[in-house]
Amino acid sequence: MADDTLNDVLIDRLRSFLSKPNENLDGIRSAAARLHSRCASQDKATRERTLERVWRRHDGAIPLVLSLLESVRDQVTCCSLAGILHECVSPRAGTSGKKKAQNHAVKYRSPALSQLTSLNATQLIIKLLMQLSGKESQISDMLLYELVWIIAQLSQKDSKFSVKVRLTGSARTFHNILRLHYNNPKLLYPLLIVFKSLSRNVTTSTVLVKDGIVSTMEKVIVSIGYSPSPKLRLSLNVMHSLTRSSMFLYKLPNYINFFFSVLIYVKYIKLIYFIELCCTKMAKEDFVPLLLRIFERWERYNGKMRLRILTYTIITLKHLSNTKIGRKAIKSSNGLNLLYKFCVLCPNDRTYDSLLPRVASIIGTCMDKKVLPIDTTGPVLFSLPVLKTENSDTSDNTTGSGMRTSSSRETTPSADGSVAESFDNNDDDDDDASDKTQESDAGHGPYAIPPPILRDMDDLCQYAAFFQENVVTSNQEARTFEEKCIPRAKSYQEFGTHGCDSLGEHRDYWLINDRDGLRSDSYLGSCHLQHQEPSNDENSFWQKEVERRLNNYMRTVRSHSSCSCYDVYKREMTWKASSDPAMNSNLQNSLHMMGLTILSDIPKHSSVHYAYCAIASKVNTVYPVVKVAYPDMVGGDGSGQLYPLHIKDRKVCRAKLMTSVERAVHPHLLLDRVVYDLDGLIQQDAIAKGNDSGEKHLYNIDERRVGHRDLLKHHLLFESRFESGNLRKVVQIGLHEYELILLPDVNSVKHHQWFYFEVSNMEANVTYTFNIVNCEKQNSQFNYGMKPIMYSVIEAKEGRPGWVRAGSDICYYRNNYQNLHGRSRSWYLTTSFSMTFPHDNDVCYIAYHFPYPYSLLMTQIWKWSLSVDPSLIYFRTDCLCYSLNNNETPLLTITSPDMESNRIKDREVVFLTARVHPGESNASWVMHGTIQYLLSNAPAAIMVRNKFVFKIVPMLNMEGVINGCHRCGLSDEDLNRRWSRPNQYLHPVIYHSKGLIEYCARIMNKAPFMFCDYHGHSRRKNVFLYGCCNAGSWNQVDRSNSDDPVDYLMLPYLMQHFSKAFNLQACNFRVERMREATARVTIWREFGVKRSYTMESSFCGCDQGFYQGYHLDTIHLKEIGANFCEAMACLKDEGGWKADITPEEAARLAGLTSKEQLDESPPMSEISDNSDFSSDEDFH
């Protein structure tokens, strides 16, 4: 009690001197000295009670000490006052023992630091240091020690510390203190803590580099010595931060689109230059040998200190290796040998697994540049139409393919009139990535949204040809329809015969069904359910609502099951036939109308094999094809089994990484035999077929080939010249090991991910290793359990057909091949896996994912058209338009036949699309499941056909699919970034697909009930949805308008119930600026479709739910498509269930997407590769 009284007396005495501090120096000095001695007392009880009294926020002791410290000019008094603050923020203040120190730090030290930060103590102490250091008389060592210790602790707590240093211009002051006191053991440690914070800021580190911090740090490290210590660790940490220029340089392009000011951009370029200068100065001032000497002694270090020192040293060397002079310094200092030695002797411990790839990266960077043994461009280029002006209807060049032709991409206008641009390799809508691209005309500022380009109403009326199901039967309605639509159709018929003449040889590309020509004049947050736990009320509401709809759904199912579920259709069709005699005779043919010429001459009773080969023979390709792939010809399905995810073996990955290092250091050990070269084969085919203008006839004889061996060749045989195939070159580097090089997208030099090729001439039970060496993504699901797939022809002949997950020793790592078309000094990555084939001399196919080529889609449409009963299902196929290479784009219409009580024209319209990214074949399998279910007799299918008219474009980018591309089509553009302003001539499928939706919204005055774009995701598991909401928009105007969360949240909740693979927590409803040109956001914004979604399905498998730990097979992907229809069946009575929602329930739903919760969610682009993220709007 006496101690507390004395503490109060001392603090009150200091407070009494506050008004005139310099007139009461003796009293302040005495009281401050006594209070300081009690704070630093050896008696634990005295020290704790005194510090607790000073820490109390409401007593104002700390503000009092700060005010006196700012006012008093006596250094002895300032030393006592600073000592009091030092004891308050000391890591071991008033405690003994590690655990008790942590508890007291949480209870007292952190609040003290927070209080000092809020009182601007950082600026006060910085200014005091600058004043005392600027005087002629030197500052006392004790006062400097106290002040530096305080500022060291504040630098770790104050998030704006570097900014305050920059604003006060004190970076050089700290450097001068370090330069003068680098030999002072007491001052060095807190100074290094300060510089650790300063070096992490680009601006302050730039000032330090210009002021010669590199030379000073070299002296610091020499004075510390090479023995492991916290000071050495901190010094290396500072150097690591100062040399991170290359990392900043690599990240900068991702944010350039957000730097709206040119001045800001120029400023950052200057900062990059100055930080790069740090690496150059370190190399010139012999800092590299110093680092290598520390690194050489790594075996002498122990415990965590060894790991930390090694980490900072290696990362610093990695940064230095990104400069030419740094690489030269490492090589001249025998650095490569030291690094190689570390790789050999590196402990086989998991904690060192992160260091080995970095060391291998340094070795590869410092070695002589190694490039892929291929030409920089693809073996075949496609000539794009060159338009004279942005809205020109003429084209000077013919469209087609040719070998080594010059692409017209440089002069090809993009959708907004600028030169067409290529896009980064991200995953789709939110993709697999994140997408770093953005429309160049997206506007600036918080309110800027690019205005939509509306097409002429007469132009849109031409899409009436694709809504034939809406043609009415009564005389009066028929006359009205004829008066409104037929004159316009006639005028456009004239355009189709005369207006397109100016297009010359390209006129067929812009015709629809070869009949009618079409031309054109042309919320910062997210719902992010994984970051929030809904309240019990919210859960109860959703549970009640979903259960109610499911009960209604089951009642409908039971009612259909209790009687003939088609009686109502038969009665209605009988009525229609009696009211329209013409329909009675044409009923069978009209609903089977084949608008696709590619299917027109296939006999009805043909085998599926014959139909597939006939269709594939008519497909126009850029790359020459010589066969059809056996798996695609027989249906392309998986085996239907559940395959567990691959468990990564870290020892195998280390071994493969070491092998890569060995081959970089000793390249002469490689066999280096080219066994497959697509470039050479294409040239040979061009010469052999130079005079052959006949039609191609593709077929497959794999069943005859199995069992036969090529005795003249003692290696595997490869082939990829079939639809969707992708393999450019194979080099044998070992007895059973091969390096594979993939094709880029057509007219591109990047986007290497999709692979699909044939292997033969193998031996059974021999392990073959395949290394795909030109991958570009920095991470892959191959590191997280994904396996490639394999198809055996012998297994299929023996009655076990289907793709299977295969492969072992799967690893994904950086190799030594430089990517000349990537960022500066970037390298390719390797997908490595081993396979053991079950049969001798088999013919096997290996692929990234289950292929779904264009010919397989057309074959399925042909099969569906033969199996559908037109009296029960309205199913029509049309050719929406022709692609750049003159292939047909199928458009499917599915609904119930027109009935007197349920007219087609009164039904809601649902638009479904898929495969805008050709490498996302899983999207096609999900779409296959949707279409197959809609054409089935399932009760839910009947329900949705009664309610909706489905318009389906199952393959938006058929050219990319046909030619084995991964991301883009023939124009080297991500078509999912062209929805806001598609170009009629460069993006015809996107242009006309959007035209259909615009016709529905503006001419029919009926916005689609739902739009969903199917995608695949290469860096996330499970199945999930991306949607749109005003609260999650980047635009302030959107956020100011409220919307009903039930509209866009109900479908994901229903999908969670129906689909075993669906992950509700992964769903996201953010509308980001960079996604404005995607299908999901464009349809939502321009046409007011509140249920505009992207549905993502993983290439890999699931990490939650029923399928947790397993891959997804084609049967599961098709199941997801069927589940989507079942969920939609529960949305059919929208008016009823929305009316039942009370205002209180609606308010709770609105809370799910409140601005506060959305703001807490990180942007999708910030999710790291380790979170398995990538997709449709990202670059998957």
Side-chain angles (χ1 to χ4, degrees), residues 629-700:
Y630 184 87
D632 305 331
M633 183 182 69
V634 299
D637 276 294
S639 63
Q641 301 179 26
L642 276 175
Y643 291 94
L645 298 178
H646 174 69
I647 299 176
K648 183 177 177 179
D649 189 340
R650 47 174 295 273
K651 294 182 180 180
V652 169
C653 292
R654 282 180 63 123
K656 291 198 174 188
L657 193 60
M658 276 302 303
T659 302
S660 177
V661 173
E662 289 279 358
R663 289 169 178 168
V665 177
H666 308 292
H668 60 277
L669 298 178
L670 299 178
L671 184 59
D672 200 23
R673 176 195 298 162
V674 177
V675 297
Y676 180 77
D677 184 9
L678 180 63
D679 298 46
L681 292 173
I682 290 176
Q683 293 179 359
Q684 295 175 12
D685 290 344
I687 296 173
K689 299 180 180 179
N691 299 323
D692 184 10
S693 59
E695 296 182 359
K696 61 180 180 181
H697 298 282
L698 301 177
Y699 52 90
N700 183 282

Side-chain angles (χ1 to χ4, degrees), residues 513-722:
N513 293 335
D514 286 331
R515 296 191 302 273
D516 304 322
L518 291 180
R519 62 179 178 179
S520 169
D521 296 328
S522 187
Y523 273 98
L524 185 57
S526 161
C527 185
H528 259 310
L529 297 173
Q530 67 268 33
H531 294 290
Q532 60 189 31
E533 292 296 334
S535 65
N536 292 333
D537 291 338
E538 292 164 359
N539 281 328
S540 63
F541 166 76
W542 285 111
Q543 183 177 4
K544 178 180 69 175
E545 186 58 40
V546 170
E547 287 178 356
R548 186 176 68 81
R549 293 192 209 179
L550 293 174
N551 290 335
N552 293 338
Y553 166 73
M554 292 307 299
R555 281 196 295 272
T556 306
V557 171
R558 287 193 292 270
S559 65
H560 283 173
S561 301
S562 61
C563 63
S564 176
C565 58
Y566 296 127
D567 287 346
V568 62
Y569 296 107
K570 293 180 179 178
R571 289 196 297 269
E572 293 291 350
M573 295 308 295
T574 302
W575 167 80
K576 288 184 65 66
S578 62
S579 61
D580 187 357
M583 178 185 173
N584 195 26
S585 60
N586 297 328
L587 180 62
Q588 298 295 325
N589 294 329
S590 63
L591 297 184
H592 281 89
M593 183 194 70
M594 303 301 293
L596 301 169
T597 58
I598 196 172
L599 306 178
S600 59
D601 58 351
I602 299 178
K604 182 184 299 186
H605 302 291
S606 301
S607 66
V608 176
H609 294 189
Y610 172 83
Y612 184 90
C613 293
I615 292 170
S617 299
K618 299 178 183 178
V619 174
N620 298 317
T621 64
V622 175
Y623 296 115
V625 295
V626 298
K627 61 178 293 186
V628 297
Y630 184 87
D632 305 331
M633 183 182 69
V634 299
D637 276 294
S639 63
Q641 301 179 26
L642 276 175
Y643 291 94
L645 298 178
H646 174 69
I647 299 176
K648 183 177 177 179
D649 189 340
R650 47 174 295 273
K651 294 182 180 180
V652 169
C653 292
R654 282 180 63 123
K656 291 198 174 188
L657 193 60
M658 276 302 303
T659 302
S660 177
V661 173
E662 289 279 358
R663 289 169 178 168
V665 177
H666 308 292
H668 60 277
L669 298 178
L670 299 178
L671 184 59
D672 200 23
R673 176 195 298 162
V674 177
V675 297
Y676 180 77
D677 184 9
L678 180 63
D679 298 46
L681 292 173
I682 290 176
Q683 293 179 359
Q684 295 175 12
D685 290 344
I687 296 173
K689 299 180 180 179
N691 299 323
D692 184 10
S693 59
E695 296 182 359
K696 61 180 180 181
H697 298 282
L698 301 177
Y699 52 90
N700 183 282
I701 57 171
D702 288 348
E703 292 187 357
R704 303 180 196 171
R705 292 171 54 203
V706 296
H708 299 282
R709 184 173 186 82
D710 190 337
L711 299 178
L712 299 178
K713 296 180 179 179
H714 304 286
H715 55 76
L716 293 179
L717 301 179
F718 295 83
E719 182 60 85
S720 66
R721 290 174 294 170
F722 45 80

Side-chain angles (χ1 to χ4, degrees), residues 713-764:
K713 296 180 179 179
H714 304 286
H715 55 76
L716 293 179
L717 301 179
F718 295 83
E719 182 60 85
S720 66
R721 290 174 294 170
F722 45 80
E723 191 174 329
S724 293
N726 189 315
L727 182 63
R728 185 172 186 177
K729 194 169 188 175
V730 181
V731 180
Q732 186 179 13
I733 59 175
L735 182 60
H736 299 119
E737 188 169 2
Y738 299 84
E739 281 191 350
L740 282 63
I741 302 174
L742 303 181
L743 281 164
D745 286 0
V746 178
N747 285 356
S748 177
V749 293
K750 54 183 180 178
H751 306 304
H752 307 89
Q753 180 168 319
W754 171 262
F755 57 85
Y756 183 20
F757 55 89
E758 172 203 296
V759 180
S760 60
N761 213 45
M762 71 281 290
E763 298 178 18

Side-chain angles (χ1 to χ4, degrees), residues 131 187 282 301 493 521 530 560 681 770 813 910 1044 1112:
Q131 292 171 3
L187 271 176
M282 288 180 64
Y301 308 149
Q493 185 67 27
D521 296 328
Q530 67 268 33
H560 283 173
L681 292 173
F770 303 93
Y813 56 92
V910 173
D1044 190 349
L1112 292 175

